[in-house]
Amino acid sequence: MQRASCSIVASASDKLFGTNGVRFVPGVERSLDFVIKLTESIGTYLGEGDVLVGRDGRLSGQAMSLAAVSGLMSSGRNVAEAGVVPTPALQYAVRALGYRGGVMVTASHNPPQYNGIKVVGADGVEIPRLDEQKIEKIFHDGSMNKANWRGVGVSRPEPSAIRLYLQGIMSKVDRKLIAGRKFSMVVDPGNGAQSLAAPFLLESLGCKVITINSILDGSFPARGPEPTPEKLTDLSAAVRAVGADLGVAYDGDGDRSIFCDEMGRVYWGDVSGALLADYLLERTRDATIVTPVSSSQIVELVAARRKAKVVRTRVGSVDVSRTIIERGAFFGFEENGGCIYPAHLTVRDGGMTTALMLECLAARGVPLSRAVSGAFPRFYQAKTKVQVSQEKVRGTMRAVEKQASGRVEKLDGLKIWTDERTWVLVRPSGTEPIIRIFTESDTEEKVNSVLKKMLRMVKAASA
Ligand code: MG
């Protein structure tokens, strides 16, 4: 890891946790000393019991992970090292093997220079927001345990995380039904951590598997770690070239999955999420679905048809997971491809979602394109982002609110409904200095004009 010449600063007022764990550019924004101090604080918060540590395939992952192991041992915890694993595999193994908690070294879908720390509770789920504040307090107070030579922890390898994870997924779907369809499938892990798990899962489910971008590489040379539809042209082309039934792509740490139909059309995660919700609702009564403000209104249409309830949350998988637990919901999803199936584990899981999608298509007996077109009307979406420096974010949001016309929801950012079927969401990112703009409508013209108008407004307000 290279040490940059700029200063490494962490002021006492710093909020460490963002939307999804603690994220930074190692060696530039934060040092390995920071990782040790943070994981000493995490070890102190977790208390007695062993901690499982894993990492995704990022270039800084090994150094970060060794620092995290050291910090945890320094706080007196014994540590087991799972090595490179998808985040959901680490989370599943924490619960299945009875660890006190887990630490995942990952920056998920962020660009290759980023890395981060995610804290997992004994239930396998990211810890609640209030507990993140407890860790921040220990960190800033300097009240972390620092064990002496007698009390310092030890570490050992934990090689079984991926095997357990795959067994867990397979126990939650109808394997015979899926195998009977003999799906042919193109898998694109984007050089991320699902390279080590998803192809084996799909083979075990009886699929013919074709892989692309499936060599683990922390520089993410093929298409980057974020599986947005416009980046998945290779997946789309491969599905059409080999005549596959389906394609799937994952993000860098393998908790998000984006699907491509047999004609090469790639769907956002709220379409696949709503399709899975619709399928699972056939056998679930009085159900609640949880999804953030940013996902499509099709979920309300599905829920109304199946007499289910929709609970909207702030953006961030932690909010979705924790709301699912509070409400006893049966399913949750995000528009970025993070689906949560609590019957397996209440976390986003690309592998579990893929297995459910195969079961859904096997049960319905139609290709993905027809499953989607038969399930809900077409809505159009568009997204963009604007670079806005941290100090200008608040003023920009205030200016947008002032100029907004229509009903405004303020659960997270500003969701402005310009008519009954058209909304635009303007929201500062929790992890990067940008403002995101999402919009959805029942016509393409409205989506484009609303997006253009809002983009102009945000740019003018942040200039
Ligand atoms: Mg991720």
Side-chain angles (χ1 to χ4, degrees):
M1 186 184 297
Q2 279 188 341
R3 196 94 179 205
S5 54
C6 64
S7 64
I8 292 169
V9 184
S11 78
S13 62
D14 260 1
K15 191 167 165 22
L16 305 176
F17 286 84
T19 313
N20 232 312
V22 184
R23 295 265 171 93
F24 50 91
V25 181
V28 176
E29 294 171 342
R30 303 284 195 184
S31 66
L32 289 181
D33 300 345
F34 167 83
V35 176
I36 293 176
K37 196 175 158 193
L38 175 63
T39 44
E40 282 174 343
S41 308
I42 293 168
T44 305
Y45 152 79
L46 287 171
E48 282 304 306
D50 294 3
V51 182
L52 186 62
V53 175
R55 61 185 161 94
D56 66 21
R58 284 170 188 271
L59 300 178
S60 59
Q62 192 176 19
M64 288 262 300
S65 165
L66 288 169
V69 169
S70 294
L72 290 162
M73 291 194 298
S74 164
S75 72
R77 303 282 78 79
N78 290 331
V79 177
E81 295 180 62
V84 178
V85 290
T87 296
L90 182 280
Q91 294 181 287
Y92 188 80
V94 163
R95 194 189 65 178
L97 296 170
Y99 284 97
R100 175 66 195 87
V103 168
M104 182 72 191
V105 176
T106 175
S108 185
H109 63 279
N110 282 168
Q113 66 270 28
Y114 282 85
N115 213 329
I117 297 281
K118 187 181 248 214
V119 187
V120 175
D123 56 0
V125 182
E126 293 92 333
I127 57 167
R129 297 289 185 206
L130 277 176
D131 286 27
E132 293 177 353
Q133 290 169 19
K134 287 181 195 165
I135 293 170
E136 285 170 344
K137 185 164 190 320
I138 295 168
F139 180 95
H140 292 307
D141 289 354
S143 57
M144 62 285 277
N145 296 335
K146 286 191 180 276
N148 64 16
W149 61 273
R150 223 190 262 279
V152 74
V154 294
S155 95
R156 63 176 191 280
E158 175 55 81
S160 64
I162 290 181
R163 181 173 51 79
L164 284 169
Y165 165 65
L166 298 185
Q167 284 170 353
I169 293 171
M170 285 190 285
S171 72
K172 295 295 182 304
V173 289
D174 188 336
R175 294 179 64 177
K176 219 168 139 194
L177 180 70
I178 296 171
R181 277 292 305 276
K182 297 192 176 12
F183 287 108
S184 113
M185 190 151 184
V186 181
V187 182
D188 174 4
N191 309 103
Q194 278 293 3
S195 301
L196 307 181
F200 306 100
L201 169 69
L202 298 170
E203 267 174 16
S204 305
L205 288 170
C207 299
K208 180 181 170 203
V209 181
I210 299 106
T211 56
I212 60 170
N213 311 324
S214 65
I215 294 171
L216 192 74
D217 186 333
S219 63
F220 303 106
R223 58 152 173 90
E226 182 158 28
T228 50
E230 66 274 10
K231 296 219 183 101
L232 301 182
T233 46
D234 286 351
L235 175 69
S236 172
V239 165
R240 278 178 284 134
V242 302
D245 296 305
L246 193 67
V248 63
Y250 302 101
D251 74 328
D253 66 329
D255 56 357
R256 285 162 49 182
S257 47
I258 291 287
F259 294 93
C260 163
D261 71 20
E262 75 288 356
M263 297 193 283
R265 184 168 165 216
V266 180
Y267 297 94
W268 275 109
D270 39 9
V271 173
S272 47
L275 178 67
L276 290 177
D278 190 45
Y279 166 64
L280 294 167
L281 279 169
E282 286 173 8
R283 56 188 196 213
T284 317
R285 301 211 165 265
D286 298 325
T288 299
I289 306 162
V290 179
T291 194
V293 285
S294 51
S295 55
S296 171
Q297 56 200 297
I298 55 177
V299 63
E300 272 85 9
L301 302 181
V302 165
R305 190 166 65 212
R306 304 276 187 194
K307 298 192 170 39
K309 204 172 143 197
V310 178
V311 175
R312 294 277 179 171
T313 68
R314 293 171 60 83
V315 173
S317 66
V318 183
D319 298 274
V320 180
S321 288
R322 288 290 158 194
T323 305
I324 287 177
I325 293 170
E326 279 161 28
R327 304 285 186 117
F330 91 115
F331 191 66
F333 65 86
E334 299 174 302
E335 107 295 336
N336 62 20
C339 279
I340 300 172
Y341 185 47
H344 171 65
L345 194 65
T346 313
V347 302
R348 298 194 294 195
D349 187 341
M352 185 70 242
T353 308
T354 310
L356 281 175
M357 182 59 81
L358 291 172
E359 189 188 275
C360 164
L361 296 178
R364 299 216 162 150
V366 292
L368 179 57
S369 65
R370 284 193 30 218
V372 169
S373 62
F376 16 76
R378 178 93 195 257
F379 278 91
Y380 298 83
Q381 295 178 335
K383 303 179 185 195
T384 190
K385 52 191 177 184
V386 185
Q387 290 279 344
V388 178
S389 62
Q390 217 58 57
E391 57 274 15
K392 288 203 168 162
V393 165
R394 273 187 160 191
T396 304
M397 294 300 291
R398 264 200 305 269
V400 169
E401 190 179 354
K402 242 187 204 165
Q403 294 171 65
S405 54
R407 180 162 60 91
V408 180
E409 292 172 15
K410 293 205 246 178
L411 181 56
D412 193 357
L414 299 167
K415 188 173 186 175
I416 304 155
W417 288 84
T418 59
D419 68 38
E420 212 159 87
R421 290 276 181 238
T422 310
W423 55 261
V424 56
L425 176 69
V426 188
R427 186 186 155 267
S429 161
T431 53
E432 295 166 86
I434 55 180
I435 288 182
R436 294 184 190 279
I437 306 171
F438 298 168
T439 177
E440 180 177 60
S441 183
D442 51 354
T443 75
E444 204 165 6
E445 296 72 44
K446 276 196 274 179
V447 152
N448 291 336
S449 83
V450 169
L451 185 78
K452 234 164 117 188
K453 207 171 144 199
M454 187 51 74
L455 184 61
R456 253 202 324 264
M457 203 188 284
V458 170
K459 277 187 172 166
S462 62

